[in-house]
Amino acid sequence: METIGFIGLGIMGAPMAGHLLDAGYKVIASDHRSKPPADLVAKGLKTVTGHAAVAKAADIVILMVPDTPQVAEVLFGDNGVASGLWKGKLVIDMSSISPIETKTFAQKINALGCDYLDAPVSGGEVGAKAASLTIMVGGEEKPFERAKPIFEKMGKNITLVGPNGVGQTTKVANQIVVALTIEAVAEALVFASKAGADPAKVRQALMGGLAASRILEVHGERMVKRTFAPGFRIELHQKDLNLALEGAKALGVSLPNTSTTQQLFNSCAANGGAKEDHSALVRALERMAGHEV
């Protein structure tokens, strides 16, 4: 089994790396910012100092960090991954970042004789813990087939959607759908609740009809129970919708409802909710309605 370097052991990355350890892979992380989670160390996680050392020790390097600047720093900063690579290694970026920058990163890694996949995920903390993530992959067929057994330890719906950058484009599209559906569920529950209906029973009824969705199931429940501890933070969804709106501007495409939903996220962040779960978007609508679900 190939040795895997894993950079980014946060809310998503830690359980993903845990599944790889459970499957018997040797996993190496960096102690660049903080000590790795104790439960992963107990499972056999090894640590080295610096991202270059991770790349030198691993056959495949996986990144799971918040945004484009962090990926650039991890790959090409001082003592970065790129300085520890040599021909035949594979870099997989599972972060959600700019499709345009992804193409540039891939070209730089390819120039070193290494393969590159952009493989962002959907499913949040729940999916990461359950190993049920959807994984959208951009890259060539050969490295995809090499990485597929690893992806299968972390996710269920795994698709090679096109060349480098297309994985990230698919993730941006995913985040548009997720954001707008959260907004729709929030509107419906605020409306029903202010009209005097029990929002929990309204949600239960809607789950049996055409309005049923994973978001109504999971995030609708969060709205009703007021459980906004982050599975996926508002500030990260703001980042993803910024990518969508920047891409739309470059393409000459109008995304009116994406823009409106971003303003609702902005309202939440301005009121101290940037680190809450994205289901807390309902708070923006509640403030306007003068009514809490």
Side-chain angles (χ1 to χ4, degrees):
M1 300 176 77
E2 296 187 284
T3 298
I4 300 170
F6 207 110
I7 298 173
L9 299 175
I11 289 175
M12 299 286 290
M16 292 164 68
H19 295 311
L20 298 178
L21 288 163
D22 290 340
Y25 284 98
K26 181 178 179 181
V27 181
I28 298 172
S30 170
D31 56 9
H32 177 68
R33 290 189 179 274
S34 60
K35 292 183 179 180
D39 62 323
L40 296 186
V41 174
K43 290 182 178 184
L45 179 75
K46 305 299 181 184
T47 59
V48 294
T49 299
H51 302 321
V54 173
K56 289 175 183 177
D59 303 301
I60 297 173
V61 180
I62 296 175
L63 280 65
M64 190 64 179
V65 298
D67 203 350
T68 309
Q70 286 78 34
V71 173
E73 177 64 23
V74 168
L75 289 177
F76 307 112
D78 293 339
N79 201 31
V81 166
S83 62
L85 296 175
W86 54 78
K87 188 175 181 180
K89 297 202 175 195
L90 170 61
V91 175
I92 306 173
D93 179 24
M94 302 189 77
S95 319
S96 297
I97 68 167
S98 164
I100 296 172
E101 291 300 312
T102 290
K103 294 177 184 179
T104 301
F105 297 160
Q107 290 168 358
K108 289 181 178 180
I109 297 300
N110 292 158
L112 299 173
C114 302
D115 290 313
Y116 190 96
L117 297 173
D118 50 293
V121 303
S122 179
E125 182 183 14
V126 173
K129 288 181 175 179
S132 61
L133 294 168
T134 291
I135 305 176
M136 302 153 261
V137 188
E140 299 299 322
E141 182 75 31
K142 188 174 180 180
F144 172 73
E145 291 299 328
R146 178 182 177 184
K148 194 172 181 182
I150 295 169
F151 291 148
E152 287 172 343
K153 301 300 183 293
M154 299 181 285
K156 298 296 185 185
N157 182 22
I158 303 158
T159 308
L160 179 63
V161 290
N164 285 131
V166 177
Q168 295 294 353
T169 296
T170 305
K171 177 58 187 291
V172 171
N174 177 86
Q175 294 303 82
I176 292 172
V177 173
V178 170
L180 270 59
T181 308
I182 289 174
E183 197 279 336
V185 169
E187 279 198 19
L189 292 181
V190 169
F191 167 78
S193 178
K194 190 157 187 180
D198 181 339
K201 291 183 178 179
V202 170
R203 172 185 163 276
Q204 182 180 359
L206 295 179
M207 283 299 299
L210 191 59
S213 70
R214 181 67 172 157
I215 287 171
L216 178 62
E217 177 187 357
V218 175
H219 293 312
E221 183 177 44
R222 284 176 175 265
M223 294 172 196
V224 170
K225 293 185 175 180
R226 319 305 292 175
T227 52
F228 297 129
F232 188 77
R233 300 191 303 275
I234 281 175
E235 62 187 356
L236 293 179
H237 214 140
Q238 285 179 289
K239 176 260 297 183
D240 291 339
L241 293 192
N242 279 339
L243 293 174
L245 295 169
E246 289 168 2
K249 182 177 180 181
L251 293 168
V253 173
S254 177
L255 301 177
N257 292 326
T258 300
S259 181
T260 299
T261 303
Q262 181 72 313
Q263 291 302 321
L264 294 172
F265 279 138
N266 291 346
S267 173
C268 291
N271 282 274
K275 297 189 182 302
E276 290 188 314
D277 187 79
H278 52 175
S279 59
L281 176 145
V282 70
R283 293 192 192 275
L285 296 169
E286 289 171 341
R287 280 189 291 270
M288 289 189 285
H291 177 82
E292 185 176 292
V293 169

